[in-house]
Amino acid sequence: MNTNISLLQTIKNPEQLRQLSTDDLPLLCKEIRDYILETISKHPGHLGAALGVVELTVAIHYAFNTPDDKLVWDVGHQAYAHKILTERFEEFKTNRQYKGISGFPRCCESVYDCFGTGHSSTSISAVLGMAIANQLSNNTERQHIAVIGDGAMTGGMAMEALNHAGATNTNILVILNDNGIAIDKNEGALSKYLTHITTSKWYNRLKDSVWSIMGGNKKYGKHSREIVRQIGGGLKSTLLRRSNLFEAFGMRYFGPVDGHDVEHLVNLFNDIKKIQGPKLLHVITRKGKGFEQAEKQQTLFHAPGKFDVETGMVENSDADNLPPKYQDVFGETILELAKQNDKIVGITPAMLSGSSLNIMMEAMPHRTFDVGIAEQHAVTLAAGFAKSGYIPFCNIYSTFMQRAYDQVIHDVALQNLNVVFCLDRAGIVGEDGATHHGVFDLAYFRPIPNVTIFSPLNEMELRNMMFTAQLNTHKGPIVIRYPRGRGESLDWRKPFETIEIGKGQELIRGENIAFITIGPIGNRVVEAASDLKNNHGINVGVYDMRFLKPIDEQLLHSVFKNYNTIITVEDGILIGGLAGAIAEFAQKNNYKEVKTHFMGIPDRFIEHGSISQLHAECCIDKQSIVELVISHF
């Protein structure tokens, strides 16, 4: 693809953008879209969402005085055009690459990124806080804009923020970017409600007419305008057979409007920003806009990896000759188990394909539940199922489980309910970076009473633990955490075996030095042990705990009595995880003579890069393990 970006190359920041004529904006949007396509096809990132908001992004920066006016992108993976227009045109080629710019807004990266985002439903709360702060500082002229997708609007935090915003007189604008899809198709009543609004031609015609003919004419005065607004609301309720949800929250509602008509959007923003108080503009966009394959296959092109711009073909490695992805092992195993056990149900908050729960959805839609971006609800929904005698497998990415911590404690663990939490994307996840690494789960689950915490060494153990978790022999919540990416073996479809709760295993018997690991990172330790033995004549032991809680104290006593140096390795934060558990065990049992060394994620946020690059940075890759032993022991 030969990308012509001659106009775009002259625009380094929004101030220069605002020097253009509105007639130039459609061409600029085309160039931005082509530049995103060309770049992301070679350096993978979030494509569909970024293509869908090009015109919206240009119109916002053209009509508003950013960065003085504050703009927050919810979730943030749609902010590529924003980055390109805000002094990062050249740097965009390093998007999501190690030491390059982030794929999400980062305050440390640009003054135009006024709030860091990566998880959903945060934008309205953030801009409301900024707007109220500006009122307290007597700066009432500044505009505050939140761009939030219809998928993110299902998050309870967004509704909480709307409830608060509508009761204020803050000058905020919430832009609802409605494209009907997050990663998978949006589910739930809100999605149906938005569809009803967008397809009601009578409602849209009436809304425009009522306001422009009466409310828009200043001669009727302030009180007449309020009367007109109430009349309009009543007519809208009649036509829609329900009240307008957003106006019920106290937000002045506008829309829906075409999110790809950049000139109309500019004019609309110029009008809206003159209206005081909290406002919501409903914008209709097309995810993947301008790239036919991305429009047709929106889930695939959410984040497609490398692809050919001309043909739309996505590059695929020879998957038949590679071990399966952990998520696919989960997806196929839960369906296999559900066929045997009619009490099993699957639950996920908007990660149907990302968790591979779509496999069960296709076969058993009545027992599979995508609840939208609502992690707290997903956890307590699972608790309700468990209380009624069902066995819910609640699959949530590790980083998103952080959002439902109280529900885990209060609604599941306190009642000791049989909920199986499957934490996908645990540990370092790669290019999504600091907002998405699942490195805290071992540490934040370990203090909770009644919780069993398991991390499989490989995909066979994942299958077997899922099998064990749905048996009636165990009581209480079980956490199974596993990483992003592929497993270890092609031969993983083996008959189920139960795993004894709280039992670790000896992988290699050694001398003097023992490694204690948990999870798939143990495979890298085994590789390092082989290197040390074969190339350096050092024979180390390797022990896989499998369970962080309850931890196998019998195995630990054996290790501490037979080795004089213990090294722990984990793909998780060092504070409070496996390292913390081993340190507590050693102190409690007075193993003062045994040296300990801890390897894991340090006490800082890890940025983006490939998993192998970040493992090396955190010194938990094979080479770092080998070098540690050679240089220190």
Side-chain angles (χ1 to χ4, degrees):
M1 181 179 183
N2 185 13
T3 305
N4 183 355
I5 52 173
S6 56
L7 180 59
L8 176 58
Q9 287 178 309
T10 68
I11 307 300
K12 301 302 181 186
N13 54 53
E15 185 176 351
Q16 293 178 341
L17 167 66
R18 292 187 279 268
Q19 303 306 310
L20 296 178
S21 164
T22 54
D23 294 338
D24 295 324
L25 299 184
L27 174 59
L28 178 64
C29 291
K30 180 182 184 307
E31 292 187 6
I32 292 172
R33 186 169 277 114
D34 288 346
Y35 185 53
I36 291 173
L37 275 169
E38 180 71 17
T39 303
I40 302 305
S41 67
K42 298 173 182 175
H43 307 292
H46 291 95
L47 181 68
L51 294 179
V53 297
V54 171
E55 288 83 5
L56 181 60
T57 306
V58 170
I60 291 171
H61 282 296
Y62 191 89
F64 292 95
N65 186 32
T66 55
D68 187 58
D69 288 339
K70 301 304 178 184
L71 170 63
V72 177
W73 295 91
D74 209 279
V75 180
H77 58 243
Q78 75 273 45
Y80 290 0
H82 162 79
K83 293 203 171 203
I84 291 168
L85 289 171
T86 54
E87 302 174 347
R88 286 166 283 184
F89 171 79
E90 291 292 342
E91 289 83 354
F92 185 65
K93 296 175 183 177
T94 70
N95 183 54
R96 289 165 51 92
Q97 298 172 55
Y98 190 57
K99 303 298 184 181
I101 66 171
S102 170
F104 298 88
R106 295 295 308 279
C107 297
C108 61
E109 196 175 283
S110 171
V111 295
Y112 292 93
D113 295 357
C114 68
F115 195 85
T117 53
H119 292 185
S120 80
S121 315
T122 58
S123 61
I124 305 174
S125 297
V127 299
L128 181 59
M130 294 176 185
I132 295 174
N134 273 269
Q135 284 185 334
L136 294 175
S137 302
N138 295 317
N139 183 357
T140 58
E141 298 302 315
R142 177 174 288 159
Q143 302 283 328
H144 300 83
I145 308 106
V147 182
I148 182 170
D150 49 327
M153 191 64 86
T154 64
M157 186 175 174
M159 293 298 168
E160 293 169 10
L162 285 177
N163 182 58
H164 183 193
T168 72
N169 63 347
T170 50
N171 195 23
I172 71 169
L173 170 63
V174 177
I175 300 174
L176 173 59
N177 175 32
D178 182 1
N179 59 25
I181 187 168
I183 295 178
D184 300 286
K185 184 179 181 295
N186 288 331
E187 300 291 342
L190 180 61
S191 177
K192 293 179 181 178
Y193 172 76
L194 294 177
T195 299
H196 191 63
I197 287 181
T198 59
T199 55
S200 176
K201 295 180 180 179
W202 279 104
Y203 160 59
N204 288 288
R205 290 174 184 171
L206 178 66
K207 173 185 66 66
D208 292 339
S209 297
V210 167
W211 185 253
S212 61
I213 294 174
M214 299 183 71
N217 191 329
K218 294 182 180 179
K219 73 179 183 179
Y220 288 92
K222 176 182 177 182
H223 296 294
S224 296
R225 289 168 63 84
E226 181 59 30
I227 293 171
V228 169
R229 182 177 176 182
Q230 293 175 9
I231 294 172
L235 290 171
K236 283 183 283 187
S237 299
T238 301
L239 288 173
L240 290 176
R241 299 180 183 177
R242 67 193 79 183
S243 63
N244 183 289
L245 171 66
F246 304 109
E247 293 189 346
F249 274 118
M251 306 290 291
R252 176 75 182 283
Y253 174 85
F254 300 89
V257 299
D258 181 1
H260 299 298
D261 186 341
V262 64
E263 294 176 83
H264 178 61
L265 285 173
V266 168
N267 292 332
L268 189 58
F269 287 143
N270 283 329
D271 288 338
I272 286 179
K273 68 184 182 182
K274 299 173 185 176
I275 300 172
Q276 298 299 306
K279 305 167 287 290
L280 186 141
L281 174 64
H282 185 178
V283 174
I284 307 300
T285 61
R286 177 81 175 166
K287 191 171 184 178
K289 174 69 175 178
F291 186 51
E292 182 179 2
Q293 290 81 359
E295 291 189 35
K296 290 181 177 179
Q297 302 179 76
Q298 293 180 330
T299 297
L300 173 62
F301 279 90
H302 173 76
K306 292 184 179 181
F307 63 95
D308 187 294
V309 177
E310 300 298 334
T311 65
M313 294 295 294
V314 176
E315 289 186 18
N316 288 314
S317 57
D318 189 0
D320 292 337
N321 295 322
L322 293 173
K325 293 180 179 179
Y326 278 95
Q327 68 181 65
D328 292 335
V329 173
F330 164 82
E332 296 192 30
T333 300
I334 191 173
L335 177 59
E336 189 176 345
L337 292 172
K339 289 178 179 178
Q340 302 171 14
N341 187 340
D342 61 7
K343 292 297 184 181
I344 290 176
V345 295
I347 300 169
T348 188
M351 289 296 155
L352 201 63
S353 60
S355 68
S356 292
L357 197 59
N358 57 343
I359 296 172
M360 183 176 175
M361 174 67 86
E362 292 173 6
M364 299 179 175
H366 59 296
R367 289 166 59 188
T368 313
F369 304 91
D370 179 357
V371 302
I373 300 178
E375 293 85 4
Q376 295 172 323
H377 167 60
V379 170
T380 305
L381 177 72
F385 270 112
K387 194 69 176 175
S388 302
Y390 280 77
I391 305 168
F393 280 75
C394 185
N395 191 303
I396 302 180
Y397 287 8
S398 172
T399 185
F400 300 143
M401 177 58 86
Q402 295 161 187
R403 319 191 87 190
Y405 194 60
D406 179 63
Q407 284 68 30
V408 170
I409 295 172
H410 183 272
D411 300 337
V412 178
L414 184 62
Q415 302 182 76
N416 205 27
L417 297 176
N418 292 1
V419 175
V420 185
F421 292 114
C422 293
L423 302 193
D424 199 337
R425 272 61 166 184
I428 293 291
V429 298
E431 289 81 2
D432 280 341
T435 57
H436 282 62
H437 294 314
V439 298
F440 302 107
D441 50 21
L442 292 174
Y444 67 66
F445 270 109
R446 191 165 73 90
I448 305 175
N450 296 331
V451 175
T452 295
I453 306 170
F454 177 86
S455 187
L457 182 67
N458 51 44
E459 55 270 48
M460 288 78 77
E461 288 203 341
L462 171 58
R463 276 175 56 81
N464 288 334
M465 193 62 215
M466 290 175 67
F467 172 74
T468 302
Q470 53 91 47
L471 299 175
N472 291 325
T473 55
H474 180 75
K475 177 67 176 175
I478 293 180
V479 173
I480 308 174
R481 57 105 69 176
Y482 50 91
R484 179 185 185 186
R486 298 188 179 275
E488 304 296 326
S489 173
L490 291 169
D491 185 23
W492 60 277
R493 295 178 185 274
K494 296 183 177 180
F496 289 118
E497 298 178 3
T498 58
I499 293 178
E500 184 178 352
I501 301 297
K503 293 298 291 184
Q505 57 186 341
E506 180 183 78
L507 301 180
I508 300 174
R509 181 168 296 182
E511 302 170 357
N512 300 322
I513 301 171
F515 282 92
I516 297 177
T517 74
I518 190 167
I521 197 70
N523 295 288
R524 309 293 78 79
V525 179
V526 169
E527 293 170 1
S530 177
D531 187 311
L532 287 166
K533 181 177 181 179
N534 296 332
N535 298 321
H536 304 281
I538 302 174
N539 189 19
V540 301
V542 182
Y543 296 84
D544 171 31
M545 296 313 299
R546 303 206 291 185
F547 292 88
L548 183 63
K549 187 178 183 181
I551 201 160
D552 190 344
E553 293 198 354
Q554 182 179 353
L555 178 60
L556 287 178
H557 279 300
S558 175
V559 174
F560 271 82
K561 289 176 181 178
N562 288 284
Y563 296 86
N564 56 34
T565 299
I566 307 293
I567 305 171
T568 68
V569 185
E570 59 193 302
D571 189 7
I573 197 78
L574 281 170
I575 299 174
L578 177 64
I582 299 304
E584 290 165 14
F585 173 84
Q587 190 276 334
K588 182 180 71 173
N589 292 282
N590 202 30
Y591 285 112
K592 295 180 180 179
E593 303 303 318
V594 180
K595 297 178 182 178
T596 54
H597 185 87
F598 306 122
M599 305 180 74
I601 309 303
D603 183 24
R604 61 181 174 84
F605 290 105
I606 307 302
E607 299 299 334
H608 51 281
S610 69
I611 292 176
S612 60
Q613 286 172 326
L614 299 179
H615 277 180
E617 180 181 310
C618 296
C619 298
I620 56 173
D621 62 316
K622 170 191 167 183
Q623 189 59 35
S624 296
I625 294 168
V626 170
E627 290 176 358
L628 174 75
V629 172
I630 293 173
S631 61
H632 289 80
F633 305 104

